[in-house]
Structures are given as structure tokens and as C-alpha cells.
Amino acid sequence: MKRVYTLCVITCLVMSLFSFGIHKITREDEKHLKVGCVFVGDEITPYTNNFIKARDHVKEVYGDRIECVTIYNVAEGQVKSHLQELVDEGCDYIIAASYGYGPDVKAIAEQYPDIQFCVPTGDNANSDPVLPNYHNCFGEIYQGRYVCGRVAGMKIKQMIEKNIITPQQAKVGYVAAFPLPEVISGYTAFYLGVQSMVPEATMIVKYTNTWSSYSLEKQAANELIDENCVVISQHSDTIGPATACENAKREIPVYHVGYNQSMTDIAPTKSLISCCVDYSYYFEQSIGALLHDKKIEDCIDGRTYGQDAMAGLDKGWVRILDLNETVAPSGTKEMVEDTIAKLSKGELEVFSGPFTGVSVFDPNDRVDLNSPYKENAQSSSPTFCYILDDVITDKRGGKVSADEIGIPVSSNGRVLPCGSTAIWMLK
């Protein structure tokens, strides 16, 4: 019995040591990544704060398997030296989160094929040269814009029913950064959402010609308030429009629909709802792929097209932020849930209906939405560049030249068509 007992003890010790050795080898062999992030702003701007949240998400998911190095407040024309800094620090994966970074990031990616690079909101991953270590991603944000437009429309409909305004006063305003596809696609989807609830509604768009300026955005919102808009939304980076709506001093209230963050704290009596792109899942899945030596696009749960990845409400890449139920009409929450379900199942066409419009770049290029336009068909970056005939645009009249906004043209002077990967000066 003693021999049997001794053998059992020895066997247990050997197995324990073997198990410890295997565990130690496994831990030592686990791959680690150094992830570099370049941001155009910081936590103060809602746009950048979305990326900061995504970065913090992956730090929580992967713990000590990743190390994050972050550089803030890098202007789009000044990114080269910061990219080189992250390369020199030994980063394995560099995320540069602003559209205008794209050309410089792709150039350095070509120099360092062993490092992976991603430009969220970019559109040049699938243009020549196509690099296996250079990627784009974006959420299908038009879906969120459409949902928010329906919420705005439901509020306007309530205002009409309560005789606060007449149907002819159903006017919405939009503070827009630039007359470019990402922005035009967003405000068109928003307007079509409003129209689905209030066919009499009209929309005025005011461009600030900058991505982020509190004073200019607030000024544009105040101008829209002076033009008697009853709901104002935005594609711009600050809380200026929400503040303007909350502080508006007039008999008829003006409500706000936000972007990138909830605006309820800023405009508690006027904020209706907001939407945003959530990059957490792409960051998590792309880093997970690299930790397991796999191709990024093979591990993405959204749609991929070459080196580009996209998804919408169905995968959580687009989120509808908190509905302000103290302001929104009864039944709004149920309507939002129903609309999200239909969009997620592909049962609802957003860019569809009795609407026509003209390209912001070519007056001879018109669209008729009686034949639905498929946004994000082959690109995560929006391509809808048509201003609907019903939409009033201010400051540029809805038509811009390529020279005005720095868009290169071909040798014969023609602007490249919508969806081309070389032309959009987006963020």
C-alpha cells in the first residue's frame, strides 16, 4: 500500500509539474501587440471621444496582451511625423482615426509591410496600390440618421396635431460641415426619415466649412432658429447646436437631434435623440485577428469588401443613443425599435421614394429615388452625393466646384465620379 501511495504522490507531482510547464510555455508564447492610435482631437470632441471609448474597450478586453500608445490633437496635415513616431516605438498596429490621414497613412504602410494600419472612415484601402496591411472601416451611419429623422418627424407631427405649428411650418434645419458625400448622405437620410412621418416637411442646410468649431456651429444653429426651424440636427463635432436649441428664446420651441454622443445633458428640455458609430467591435475583432495571426477581414462580423469593412445597426456598429422620453411623443420608443428591426433585416429602403436630386459635383448627374439608391454597396465610406430638389442649402447653394473644396480633377478637367476613392475630403 505504501508503494501504491508513493507512486500516486509521485505521479501527481509529475503531472502538476508538467501542467505548470505547459501553462508557462503557453503564457510565454502568447502573442502581444503594441497598438498605436492617432486622434484628430481629444475627449472633449464627441467624434474623437467615440474612438477613445473603442480604445478603452479593447484595453479592457485584452488586458496585458496589448499595449496602447495614443497621440491626441493631430491635425490632418501634420500626421506624418506622428506615424513615424509610432513606428519607431515598435507598434504592430496603428489606427489613425480621421479621413484626411488616409494618403499619408497608406504611404507609410507601403514602407512598413510588417505593420498593420487602419484609417476608420477612410475610402482608399481598395484603390491602387492595394496593400494587405492597410484597412478602412466605417459604420453604416445613414441607418442611424434615418431613425433619428423619424423621431424628429414624430415630434413635428405631434406639434402639428397640438396646433403649435401648421403643416407649412414643418421646417427642419441641419448644421453641416462640408457639402461632401458623408455629410450629404447623412442629412438626406435624416430628411427622408422626417418625410416618412411628415410629408409636408422641408429642410434647410447650413454649411460651416469646418469639422469642429463650437462658435460656427452654434451660429449656424441660431441662424436656422431665426429661420423658424422647429428641429435642428447636425453633422459637426461640437455641442454648439444643442446649446443653441436649449437656449433659444422664442414662443415656438426648437428641438435638437445629435450626433456622436447623447446631448440630453446639454439640452435636457430640447434634445430628442442622437446616434453614433461604435468602433469598439471593429477594434476588438481586428486586434483579435492579429493576436491569432489571421487576416483582419476574415475575423470581422460585418460585411467586408476587399480591405474595407462595414456594418450597421444589426451588428451594433451603429447605435441609437438614449431617447429623451420626457420630450419625445408617446409611442416613439416602439417606433424606434420597429424601424431598427426593419433596417437590420433589410426590409426597409432608406434612399427611396418620389425624390430627385442633383450631384453636388456634376449638375448633369441626377438621381431618381423611385429606383432605390444602395448606400455602402461597395464601400464603408458613404457615396450618396446628391442634393434632393426639396432641400434648401445655404452658403453654397448646393453646388460646389472641385477647386473650392480641394478635390483633384482629371487631366481633362472632369471631376471624378461619386464613390471614387481619391476625391472626398472627409473625416
Side-chain angles (χ1 to χ4, degrees):
M1 289 297 294
K2 287 184 178 180
R3 286 183 179 180
V4 173
Y5 177 76
T6 302
L7 284 172
C8 286
V9 170
I10 292 171
T11 301
C12 288
L13 286 171
V14 170
M15 292 301 295
S16 296
L17 288 170
F18 180 76
S19 176
F20 174 77
I22 291 294
H23 176 72
K24 187 173 185 296
I25 292 169
T26 302
R27 288 292 298 171
E28 288 177 350
D29 287 350
E30 269 189 351
K31 188 169 183 177
H32 290 69
L33 287 181
K34 181 177 279 192
V35 180
C37 297
V38 185
F39 296 146
V40 74
D42 53 33
E43 69 280 353
I44 294 174
T45 55
Y47 173 81
T48 296
N49 198 42
N50 268 348
F51 289 104
I52 293 172
K53 290 176 181 176
R55 180 207 60 193
D56 292 347
H57 170 79
V58 295
K59 287 169 68 175
E60 184 175 343
V61 169
Y62 293 112
D64 61 4
R65 294 196 66 187
I66 65 170
E67 176 187 350
C68 291
V69 181
T70 306
I71 304 175
Y72 300 97
N73 298 309
V74 178
E76 290 182 336
Q78 300 173 8
V79 72
K80 288 182 181 179
S81 62
H82 296 290
L83 292 170
Q84 188 62 55
E85 180 183 340
L86 292 174
V87 168
D88 294 342
E89 284 208 29
C91 289
D92 306 289
Y93 183 28
I94 296 174
I95 300 167
S98 193
Y99 176 91
Y101 293 158
D104 288 331
V105 178
K106 193 167 189 179
I108 203 165
E110 194 167 14
Q111 297 176 39
Y112 296 95
D114 293 333
I115 301 174
Q116 296 292 319
F117 295 82
C118 178
V119 175
T121 77
D123 65 355
N124 62 341
N126 289 326
S127 62
D128 290 332
V130 176
L131 307 175
N133 65 322
Y134 181 80
H135 315 266
N136 291 149
C137 68
F138 204 177
E140 295 167 319
I141 190 58
Y142 75 92
Q143 297 179 352
R145 298 286 193 185
Y146 181 78
V147 172
C148 289
R150 283 178 62 81
V151 172
M154 200 162 177
K155 184 63 180 181
I156 294 170
K157 187 175 180 181
Q158 181 193 55
M159 295 174 77
I160 294 171
E161 291 170 348
K162 290 187 174 183
N163 296 317
I164 297 172
I165 61 171
T166 67
Q168 291 70 37
Q169 292 175 301
K171 186 186 295 185
V172 297
Y174 203 98
V175 178
F178 293 100
L180 296 167
E182 181 184 341
V183 179
I184 295 169
S185 174
Y187 71 59
T188 302
F190 176 77
Y191 176 62
L192 293 173
V194 173
Q195 274 273 323
S196 71
M197 306 299 290
V198 186
E200 302 90 347
T202 58
M203 184 166 76
I204 302 174
V205 176
K206 286 188 179 287
Y207 297 110
T208 62
N209 299 312
T210 178
W211 287 116
S212 183
S213 169
Y214 177 87
S215 60
L216 288 177
E217 293 168 35
K218 187 175 180 181
Q219 176 186 332
N222 280 324
E223 291 171 3
L224 291 166
I225 292 168
D226 290 342
E227 294 185 43
N228 298 313
C229 291
V230 295
V231 175
I232 293 173
S233 189
Q234 67 183 90
H235 188 146
S236 54
D237 281 359
T238 80
I239 62 173
T243 303
C245 292
E246 183 68 15
N247 296 333
K249 306 297 183 185
R250 71 178 197 189
E251 186 176 350
I252 297 175
V254 54
Y255 295 96
H256 180 261
V257 172
Y259 182 45
N260 280 324
Q261 75 173 38
S262 170
M263 299 290 181
T264 304
D265 290 344
I266 294 104
T269 69
K270 301 297 172 56
S271 173
L272 288 168
I273 199 166
S274 298
C275 64
C276 75
V277 177
D278 187 340
Y279 295 93
S280 299
Y281 300 107
Y282 181 85
F283 282 18
E284 179 181 342
Q285 292 159 16
S286 59
I287 289 172
L290 299 179
L291 284 171
H292 293 89
D293 295 316
K294 295 181 179 179
K295 178 177 169 58
I296 285 177
E297 283 72 26
D298 289 344
C299 299
I300 300 299
D301 69 354
R303 294 187 298 115
T304 58
Y305 187 80
Q307 298 292 106
D308 195 7
M310 64 211 81
L313 290 163
D314 59 331
K315 300 295 184 180
W317 287 35
V318 172
R319 290 196 179 279
I320 305 301
L321 304 178
D322 51 334
L323 174 69
N324 189 351
E325 296 191 60
T326 63
V327 178
S330 175
T332 302
K333 181 180 179 182
E334 292 75 15
M335 180 275 292
V336 167
E337 292 172 349
D338 181 65
T339 305
I340 291 174
K342 287 178 179 176
L343 286 167
S344 298
K345 295 174 184 176
E347 298 174 355
L348 196 159
E349 294 281 1
V350 170
F351 294 92
S352 177
F355 302 94
T356 55
V358 62
S359 168
V360 72
F361 300 112
D362 182 356
N364 297 313
D365 181 10
R366 293 192 61 85
V367 69
D368 184 341
L369 296 185
N370 284 299
S371 297
Y373 183 94
K374 298 286 186 181
E375 184 60 287
N376 300 122
Q378 296 180 342
S379 166
S380 67
S381 184
T383 58
F384 188 88
C385 60
Y386 301 91
I387 295 180
L388 300 187
D389 296 331
D390 296 340
V391 173
I392 301 169
T393 56
D394 184 52
K395 296 186 179 179
R396 294 184 184 272
K399 310 294 188 296
V400 294
S401 70
D403 290 340
E404 281 184 289
I405 47 179
I407 293 177
V409 296
S410 63
S411 58
N412 63 2
R414 290 179 60 84
V415 177
L416 296 175
C418 292
S420 295
T421 57
I423 70 173
W424 311 127
M425 306 297 288
L426 307 180
K427 187 179 62 179

